[in-house]
Amino acid sequence: MRVFKFGGASIKSVAAIKNAAAVIQSQGKENLLVVVSAMGSTTDQLERIIALAQEGNSFEKELNTIEKYHAEIIAGLFPDTQSVSQRVKELLNELAVAANAKGDYDFIYDQVIGYGEIISSVIIHRFLQQQGTTNEWIDSRQFIKTDSTFREGQIRWKETEVAMKPLQAILKSKIIIAQGFIGSDEKNNTVSLGREGSDFSAAIFGCSLGAESVTIWKDVPGLMNADPKRIASAVVFEELPYKETAEMTYYGASVIHPKTVKPLATHNIPLVVKSFVDPSLPGTVIHDCHVNNLPPLIVHKENQCLISCKVTDYTFINEEQLGIIFHAISEAGMRINVMQNSAISFSFCVDYIEHRVFKLIGILSKHFEVFYNTNLLLITVKNYDQKTFHEYRNMHGVILEQSSRSALQVLVKDIAH
Ligand code: ASP
Ligand code: MG
């Protein structure tokens, strides 16, 4: 069997959904499990609803926006909208109740956030049925088993594999439609897998069901050596080793969720990145292979924050102080994207998640004089050559640079912001 994943952009409108359906239909009638994200930017809107509700504010306007958006899509797909509209309405009511609940923020967040995927999967399931493509809708929460780390569920692989066994029989005669992004814990609470986690869901289904491949349908022709929106000369890879791909996602390439590659590599299942805009293009196959002469890989990571901790007396930065800094970063749930030290200061760059950054600065200020800069762009050039090395090192606005034998990283002021 094979697994397909369609992200929010590939199902954001009537035309996009018709296109995704045509892609699915062109690939057969069975032995296919399709993982779908929420449509368009529904997940962002749900995040706003949760924040408003938890601050005690009304979210009627935002809920109406979501309702209207899906109603327009339904109107464009179904001659008779009544039954599917009714189902979506019920789901919207359920999510409104969940958003108003009292309790732990991350728990409530997870009870609400997956409704985008549930609604989109219902619409796509019914649309395919209407078109004569027999398919079974499943609730991914019954199959993807996690612990109770809300917003970042850790997979219970064994239980997941056992739960998925019965899907094999269904796949013999039908396509399955499932939601990305969500699973459930031992108490059947919904647990999300982290933002953009639907790629990871596809990998989980693929690994647990022993898929022959997992295909992610994107708006780019395949995996490229740079973001084509930033670098027009970016090229598409025909194939790439798992390791190289995993490192690209580590440095911030957003084309694939970072957790996706490892389980597929362990099970030796190829990951295919294909264009839903032009499915006739070959795309990129990520698998166990060796590619000679890789071009430089350039990864842009936006919205970075550089934090510098300076010792306040005339001592030097020592290991004990580094211990305090690392501990504080880990406590704040953050990850260092690049770091550097000098005699009297230690600087590191993290994603700018405002409330976490300020919590972290609060802790560090008890021990150090702390400075920070925001609106930075971290550019990583992996497998650099002489030309790219000089080009990026000498770029305008570099405030920190670092290189190893295989990668150059520069942190620059983001002029776009
Ligand atoms: N809808 C979720 C998000 O936007 C999951 C995904 O799209 O992968 O984060
Ligand atoms: Mg998405």
Side-chain angles (χ1 to χ4, degrees), residues 44-300:
D44 293 335
Q45 284 156 356
L46 289 171
E47 278 194 344
R48 275 199 288 283
I49 287 179
I50 297 160
L52 285 167
Q54 292 301 304
E55 286 157 10
N57 295 319
S58 156
F59 53 81
E60 215 185 302
K61 204 176 106 220
E62 287 70 17
L63 195 63
N64 283 340
T65 308
I66 294 187
E67 182 170 5
K68 207 165 149 251
Y69 169 64
H70 288 95
E72 274 167 21
I73 286 179
I74 291 168
L77 294 175
F78 300 91
D80 177 5
T81 60
Q82 223 226 320
S83 133
V84 60
S85 301
Q86 183 57 35
R87 181 70 192 123
V88 169
K89 187 118 196 111
E90 281 165 20
L91 292 167
L92 290 169
N93 289 341
E94 277 177 29
L95 88 81
V97 172
N100 276 324
K102 297 270 166 293
D104 175 60
Y105 192 97
D106 290 348
F107 169 80
I108 291 166
Y109 177 101
D110 271 2
Q111 307 323 300
V112 178
I113 203 73
Y115 275 97
E117 271 69 14
I118 298 176
I119 294 171
S120 88
S121 61
V122 165
I123 295 173
I124 290 167
H125 155 70
R126 298 216 186 175
F127 180 63
L128 287 170
Q129 292 289 68
Q130 173 184 279
Q131 297 220 319
T133 304
T134 319
N135 71 98
E136 181 128 339
W137 181 92
I138 62 164
D139 185 333
S140 293
R141 292 171 293 189
Q142 291 172 11
F143 301 95
I144 295 187
K145 306 284 184 183
T146 69
D147 67 0
S148 300
T149 315
F150 296 105
R151 301 182 72 166
E152 193 68 64
Q154 304 298 307
I155 307 304
R156 291 184 283 136
W157 286 96
K158 269 262 141 350
E159 285 93 326
T160 299
E161 209 179 301
V162 171
M164 285 191 193
K165 282 243 152 66
L167 296 179
Q168 301 281 14
I170 302 174
L171 285 164
K172 289 215 168 79
S173 60
K174 279 184 206 167
I175 291 172
I176 291 179
I177 303 294
Q179 310 77 36
F181 191 38
I182 47 173
S184 70
D185 68 4
E186 267 160 320
K187 293 186 179 141
N188 288 330
N189 296 308
T190 307
V191 181
S192 73
L193 308 180
R195 284 302 309 265
E196 306 301 328
S198 294
D199 292 351
F200 184 38
S201 300
I204 299 165
F205 277 111
C207 292
S208 305
L209 292 165
E212 67 195 63
S213 63
V214 171
T215 304
I216 298 186
W217 295 90
K218 304 279 305 179
D219 58 359
V220 284
L223 203 63
M224 305 177 79
N225 73 321
D227 179 352
K229 287 179 197 116
R230 288 186 182 270
I231 298 174
S233 59
V235 294
V236 183
F237 295 112
E238 244 171 75
E239 57 173 1
L240 206 63
Y242 292 115
K243 193 171 156 286
E244 206 67 47
T245 314
E247 284 185 38
M248 271 176 87
T249 66
Y250 171 84
Y251 288 124
S254 60
V255 59
I256 300 168
H257 188 275
K259 285 186 183 166
T260 312
V261 180
K262 187 178 167 213
L264 292 172
T266 310
H267 289 79
N268 207 5
I269 297 171
L271 174 63
V272 187
V273 179
K274 286 213 19 129
S275 161
F276 63 76
V277 183
D278 185 355
S280 70
L281 294 174
T284 304
V285 183
I286 296 143
H287 61 159
D288 197 6
C289 64
H290 188 82
V291 180
N292 286 323
N293 302 324
L294 275 180
L297 301 174
I298 302 162
V299 181
H300 290 77

